[in-house]
Amino acid sequence: MKTIFAIALFFISSINTAPNKPVEKVDLKRFAGTWYSLYSIPTMFDKGSRETTTTYTYNTDKGYYDVVTTCKKEDGSDKSVKSKLFQVEGTNNAEMKAQFLWPFKVDYWVIALADDYSYVVVGHPDHKFLFIMSRKPGISKQTYDELVAKCRAMGYPVEKLTSQKHGGL
């Protein structure tokens, strides 16, 4: 009986969920530049950070992004971290791998992207992290609500989202 209940619960819960998958395509040139990280599910590396920005510079000679992430830590000091972002072949650049420490790479999926590249949502296949980023230090409440609803439908624990305190929506 418990097995039948568990199977039924699984099917009912999966009815309203969208698949967690990346967007169809990311234009490498349009993705480059500076993004404001507005909301995130903090990782162990960025807990307590605020006012985070990330700048992606595409290195055409080497075929990856050089990435610089800056933020303010809880004590008010500035922190900067360099990393690399590699495209995964055959994914139209929607799946990437972030490398903070060689040789380790972490899945980095673009799961939502505005047509005009004004916002992007980055996630992980196992829902390990989530970042809502924008070209400006804020987005409209409507856009935020729509993105959160989409991420919730994809299975992300959106109740864990924290503001990066760039000045609100």
Side-chain angles (χ1 to χ4, degrees):
M1 185 68 167
K2 286 183 181 181
T3 305
I4 293 171
F5 179 73
I7 292 170
L9 186 60
F10 171 77
F11 283 114
I12 290 169
S13 66
S14 65
I15 291 172
N16 290 330
T17 59
N20 181 28
K21 65 178 188 172
V23 297
E24 292 296 319
K25 182 179 180 181
V26 174
D27 182 312
L28 295 177
K29 288 181 183 176
R30 293 182 73 193
F31 189 81
T34 300
W35 293 93
Y36 291 84
S37 180
L38 303 178
Y39 298 90
S40 65
I41 296 175
T43 67
M44 66 181 188
F45 300 108
D46 57 7
K47 280 189 180 176
S49 64
R50 59 186 166 85
E51 299 176 41
T52 302
T53 60
T54 304
T55 301
Y56 299 85
T57 304
Y58 194 69
N59 187 329
T60 53
D61 292 338
K62 296 183 179 176
Y64 58 77
Y65 287 105
D66 289 308
V67 182
V68 178
T69 302
T70 59
C71 67
K72 290 201 180 292
K73 297 308 285 174
E74 287 180 297
D75 64 4
S77 64
D78 291 329
K79 182 178 180 182
S80 183
V81 176
K82 292 182 180 181
S83 60
K84 296 176 182 172
L85 189 62
F86 299 87
Q87 293 70 49
V88 175
E89 286 188 41
T91 68
N92 288 322
N93 307 317
E95 292 182 33
M96 301 187 219
K97 299 271 187 180
Q99 185 177 63
F100 296 93
L101 179 64
W102 184 86
F104 306 103
K105 294 180 183 173
V106 177
D107 288 312
Y108 181 103
W109 283 8
V110 176
I111 61 170
L113 181 63
D115 291 339
D116 63 358
Y117 284 65
S118 60
Y119 68 77
V120 65
V121 181
V122 174
H124 185 273
D126 295 329
H127 304 94
K128 290 182 179 179
F129 58 78
L130 184 68
F131 297 94
I132 298 174
M133 301 187 292
S134 173
R135 294 295 188 177
K136 297 179 181 178
I139 55 175
S140 73
K141 178 158 179 20
Q142 178 182 346
T143 300
Y144 171 78
D145 289 343
E146 289 170 359
L147 293 174
V148 168
K150 179 177 181 154
C151 293
R152 179 180 290 116
M154 294 172 82
Y156 286 90
V158 296
E159 66 280 355
K160 294 181 180 180
L161 281 171
T162 62
S163 171
Q164 283 286 307
K165 301 177 183 167
H166 281 287
L169 293 173

